[in-house]
Amino acid sequence: MKFGGTSVADLERIRRVARLVSAERDAGHQVAVVVSAMAGKTNELVAWTDGSGAAAQGLTPSDDEYDVVVASGEQVTAGLLAMTLRNMGVPARSWLGWQIPIIADDAHGRARIDDIPPEKLGASMDAGEVAVIAGFQGVTRDGRIATLGRGGSDTSAVAIAAALGCGCDIYTDVDGVYTTDPRIESRARKLAKVSYEEMLEMASLGAKVLQTRSVELAMAYHVPVRVLSSFVEPGEAPGQGTIVCDEEEIVEKRIVSGVAYSRDEAKISLFGLPDHPGVSSTIFGALADANVNVDMIVQSKARTADTANMEFTVGKRDAARAVEIVRSVQPDVGFEDVQVNDDVAKVSVIGVGMRSHTGVAKSMFQALADKGVNIQVISTSEIKISVLIDAAYTELAVRALHAAYGLDQL
Ligand code: ADP
Ligand code: ASP
Ligand code: MG
């Protein structure tokens, strides 16, 4: 069982979580619980210690100490939930990442889990204790704290489930995975089932209900995942939530399953590039060397002979650095101008049915045109189409696409 930040936001909610855990135990199960920090806590800790936060306090930022600070929110909720369970007469103990251990690599701030030896956890659970595990954190092979990226408690939970050989129930503030973010479109419908692949695309394209890495792990280790509401009492019909499973297990096939959006994008435009081999490799080589992740890329020939224009997107946080890097190769490459626009959003439609149906792109572009939304960049893969638009039109575009594919009538 995994409980997110809003589900453990105060003691009253932690008590409700404890009741849900206790009921699961009464039903005859051994339980491992993964908790996030209280809602808002991680943001507060990040604001002290990330690049701009540290600088504002007159500190030089440091990746490994950043992790020590931001991992602390989960320690608090793990301890509080274990205490609450004990007060209810349920044997329980808290576990920090290093105590299990959850062994992670040393990419601080976005570490990956390498291994979770299940013995210690298993022995404690066999002895009847509920294991209350701090999410989001692991320990590197040389004993340093590492965090798993924002939203990383989902990944902790799926990894623990894989290590213990059980399923993973993700309890959150919505009662399942919806056709789009229910906070943006009230007509969004809950999906009874969604395939790992679609969920992976939805997560990586902005639906933050599950961290992308958690879906990758679930898919690789065949961990059955359910997304459920934590805002219920034991015994109240909790509903089935959404089951994330193999495509073959889904009987009802849809062409499009969901619409996702991300405002975390910035577009970089290069004008007057020389049109000859090696230009892209120099530019994207320099970005890759600096660990800047590039997403959409388009290049087109300019009117003037032998030049081209290029646009690509990066995460908003990386935009300034990306421009700096591009400028640093300007003398080698010889383009005329670079511009950045971070007032953009990426809106995507996702569905495995796209593999076998035509006309999905046409419907998307038509729906956007009907609302007067201009498309700046397009990218596609086998089961998704993404467009980059002016950020001001995000909600409008999400709702228009949601209606265009009939998702409100599922
Ligand atoms: P937690 O703190 O429990 O990890 P998150 O805030 O990380 O919760 O994720 C849950 C949120 O994800 C929901 O409140 C919802 O606004 C958002 N969300 C975005 N897209 C979707 C979607 N397709 N289905 C459900 N929730 C979504
Ligand atoms: N507390 C961490 C975060 O806010 C991890 C999580 O909630 O999953 O990103
Ligand atoms: Mg989350």
Side-chain angles (χ1 to χ4, degrees), residues 36-37 42 74 136 150-153:
S36 293
T42 310
E74 273 72 8
F136 185 49
R150 297 307 306 269
S153 295

Coordinates of all heavy atoms in Angstrom, one line a residue, residues 36-37 42 74 136 150-153, ligand 2:
S36 N 4.6 9.0 1.4 CA 5.3 10.2 1.0 C 5.4 11.1 2.2 O 4.8 10.9 3.2 CB 4.4 10.9 -0.1 OG 4.3 10.2 -1.2
A37 N 6.0 12.3 2.0 CA 6.0 13.4 2.9 C 4.7 14.0 2.9 O 3.9 13.9 2.0 CB 7.1 14.4 2.5
T42 N 7.8 18.5 0.7 CA 9.0 18.4 -0.1 C 9.2 19.7 -0.9 O 10.4 20.1 -1.0 CB 8.8 17.2 -1.1 OG1 8.4 16.0 -0.3 CG2 10.0 16.8 -1.9
E74 N 9.8 12.3 4.4 CA 9.3 11.0 4.4 C 9.6 10.3 5.8 O 8.9 9.4 6.2 CB 9.8 10.1 3.3 CG 9.0 10.2 2.0 CD 9.1 11.5 1.2 OE1 9.9 12.4 1.6 OE2 8.3 11.7 0.2
F136 N 10.6 7.5 -1.6 CA 11.3 8.6 -2.3 C 12.8 8.5 -2.0 O 13.6 9.3 -2.6 CB 10.8 9.9 -1.8 CG 11.3 11.2 -2.3 CD1 11.4 11.4 -3.7 CD2 11.6 12.3 -1.5 CE1 11.8 12.6 -4.3 CE2 12.1 13.5 -2.0 CZ 12.2 13.6 -3.4
R150 N 11.1 13.7 -8.2 CA 9.8 14.1 -7.7 C 8.7 13.1 -8.0 O 8.7 12.5 -9.1 CB 9.3 15.5 -8.2 CG 10.3 16.6 -7.8 CD 10.5 16.7 -6.3 NE 9.3 16.8 -5.5 CZ 8.7 17.9 -5.1 NH1 9.2 19.1 -5.5 NH2 7.6 17.9 -4.4
G151 N 7.9 12.8 -7.1 CA 6.9 11.7 -7.3 C 7.4 10.3 -7.1 O 6.8 9.3 -7.3
G152 N 8.6 10.3 -6.5 CA 9.4 9.0 -6.5 C 8.9 8.0 -5.5 O 9.3 6.8 -5.6
S153 N 8.0 8.3 -4.6 CA 7.4 7.3 -3.7 C 6.6 6.3 -4.4 O 6.5 5.1 -4.0 CB 6.5 8.0 -2.7 OG 7.3 8.8 -1.8
Ligands
ASP2 N1 7.6 13.6 -1.5 C1 8.2 13.4 -2.8 C2 7.7 14.5 -3.7 O1 6.9 15.3 -3.4 C3 7.9 12.1 -3.3 C4 6.5 11.7 -3.6 O2 5.5 12.4 -3.1 O3 6.2 10.8 -4.3 O4 8.1 14.5 -4.9

